[in-house]
Amino acid sequence: MTLSDRNPRVGDTLLLQKEKWEVTDVSTYKDKDGYRVTEWCCETGDAEAYLLRESTGGAARWFFTRWIEPAKVSLTDAAPVQLDWKDGAPVPKAPESLVSGGDTFVYADITDGMYEGESGGKVRKLTWDYWNVPRTVNLSIELWGDGGVDFYRGAYIQDAEVELRSARSAGAELLSPQGGRFLAAAVYTPAWYLGALFLIGMPFDEGIVFAVAAGAVTALRVPPYLPVPYYAAAVGMAAALAAVFGRFPPFSSLIGLAALFVAPWLAATLAKGREGCERGDVRYLLSMSTALPAFGWGAYHYFVHAPLPHTLGQLVSAMLPALLGGVGAFFIGGAVLGGDEASR
């Protein structure tokens, strides 16, 4: 898989430019203007690099940068770069240009924000960004609030350039959201029916309806998890669709039929570009938030209004709106979120 499928996780292996990197840590960095970066520390041998996902609330971009020795960076007169700054002291003036590896880099801008590690610790960090004249290679200097200074050299990359290999076992990956929450739901559904409902003697149709819904919800318990607001939005979307379907049935009303497709499109559009938006997870949420209200609507009409004796054909017909809505939402989510990393 590539970065178009999901974000990296600690323990994963990245293959980039014919090199293998192990993801060893993840942290975030943001400033008061809404600029946010998620950083994955990547190591191979004695080398250290960072894969960055930059976001300002819109489209996000990937950036890969490697740590370099301070001695490899100098001022234009060949003098070494000497810096001494700690949080609380005035911000020093950045040199207008630097030289590294035979290239000249011109100062572009400064980012002043808070760096937060996975453990929750925070420290202020200043980042001076320099670019070569074609603006294809970046040189950055990071000044840490505790007095540390780091130098990095890197460039923007496309998500397809990185091959991502999971540290999970094949079985765990198969049941992950990216390997298929839908497969997880398919496994949990018969487990719910055979392990619980069948044992208490529930009728076949009631058992199937309950097991399908329970299996779909249980698949959400497979880690990793999306940020809480995504689940809150999914519940809100499902409740809104349930209210619409209660008045405008999806197969006998144009409003209901339109809602079956407009709701996931709108939700995917709002989700695109937001931090923590894992593409595979969001597509599953879209499908379930659309299918479950339609599923509930179909089950209600099946048990309350379908003429007796109930038949398998009646049950399948009642579930068709849920199937159409779930599959439609999945493909709508894929089309809207696409391969842009803003949607991962």
Side-chain angles (χ1 to χ4, degrees):
M1 68 182 73
T2 68
L3 296 174
S4 62
D5 297 304
R6 68 163 172 82
N7 285 336
R9 307 184 187 110
V10 173
D12 285 349
T13 298
L14 303 182
L15 275 70
L16 175 64
Q17 299 169 355
K18 299 182 179 180
E19 291 184 281
K20 289 184 179 181
W21 299 85
E22 181 184 355
V23 180
T24 58
D25 194 16
V26 60
S27 55
T28 58
Y29 176 56
K30 56 186 177 182
D31 65 16
K32 62 181 184 301
D33 297 321
Y35 174 76
R36 181 183 179 91
V37 175
T38 303
E39 300 181 354
W40 289 270
C41 181
C42 306
E43 299 181 14
T44 179
D46 296 329
E48 180 181 86
Y50 283 88
L51 177 68
L52 281 62
R53 179 184 182 275
E54 299 181 344
S55 174
T56 55
R61 296 199 293 175
W62 289 104
F63 187 84
F64 191 77
T65 185
R66 306 175 187 227
W67 183 87
I68 59 176
E69 293 282 353
K72 294 183 177 180
V73 181
S74 67
L75 302 177
T76 52
D77 61 1
V81 180
Q82 297 181 336
L83 299 168
D84 183 16
W85 174 81
K86 287 189 177 182
D87 191 13
V91 176
K93 179 177 175 58
E96 289 300 320
S97 58
L98 299 170
V99 176
S100 179
D103 293 327
T104 299
F105 295 84
V106 180
Y107 175 76
D109 54 45
I110 182 175
T111 303
D112 184 349
M114 296 301 296
Y115 178 93
E116 182 176 354
E118 194 172 28
S119 61
K122 295 183 179 181
V123 62
R124 186 182 176 193
K125 183 179 75 168
L126 307 178
T127 302
W128 290 339
D129 279 305
Y130 294 77
W131 290 90
N132 64 350
V133 175
R135 205 176 173 83
T136 55
V137 181
N138 171 271
L139 180 69
S140 64
I141 302 178
E142 296 182 347
L143 293 85
W144 296 84
D146 58 6
V149 180
D150 287 309
F151 294 78
Y152 291 90
R153 181 169 174 151
Y156 283 103
I157 62 173
Q158 298 297 316
D159 50 20
E161 294 182 53
V162 179
E163 181 182 344
L164 189 62
R165 294 182 180 177
S166 176
R168 296 165 177 253
S169 65
E173 184 67 19
L174 187 63
L175 292 180
S176 74
Q178 315 310 327
R181 282 197 195 273
F182 293 95
L183 178 58
V187 171
Y188 287 129
T189 295
W192 269 102
Y193 183 78
L194 297 174
L197 306 178
F198 180 76
L199 297 179
I200 62 176
M202 185 172 285
F204 172 79
D205 51 1
E206 294 179 19
I208 287 295
V209 168
F210 189 89
V212 168
V217 174
T218 305
L220 292 171
R221 300 290 299 171
V222 176
Y225 307 115
L226 285 166
V228 172
Y230 286 93
Y231 297 105
V235 172
M237 173 179 163
L241 282 177
V244 170
F245 295 155
R247 185 172 180 182
F248 304 102
F251 271 17
S252 58
S253 164
L254 287 178
I255 295 178
L257 185 62
L260 203 62
F261 301 104
V262 172
W265 170 81
L266 179 60
T269 301
L270 293 175
K272 184 174 183 178
R274 297 188 178 276
E275 184 66 25
C277 178
E278 292 278 359
R279 184 171 181 257
D281 295 331
V282 171
R283 293 179 78 181
Y284 184 81
L285 274 183
L286 289 172
S287 294
M288 293 304 105
S289 299
T290 304
L292 288 177
F295 189 82
W297 173 86
Y300 169 78
H301 282 274
Y302 169 78
F303 288 114
V304 175
H305 299 296
L308 295 173
H310 289 158
T311 65
L312 182 60
Q314 290 175 334
L315 180 61
V316 171
S317 297
M319 297 300 108
L320 280 179
L323 178 62
L324 179 64
V327 172
F330 177 79
F331 285 106
I332 290 171
V336 173
L337 299 177
D340 184 81
E341 177 50 30
S343 64
R344 254 76 78 195

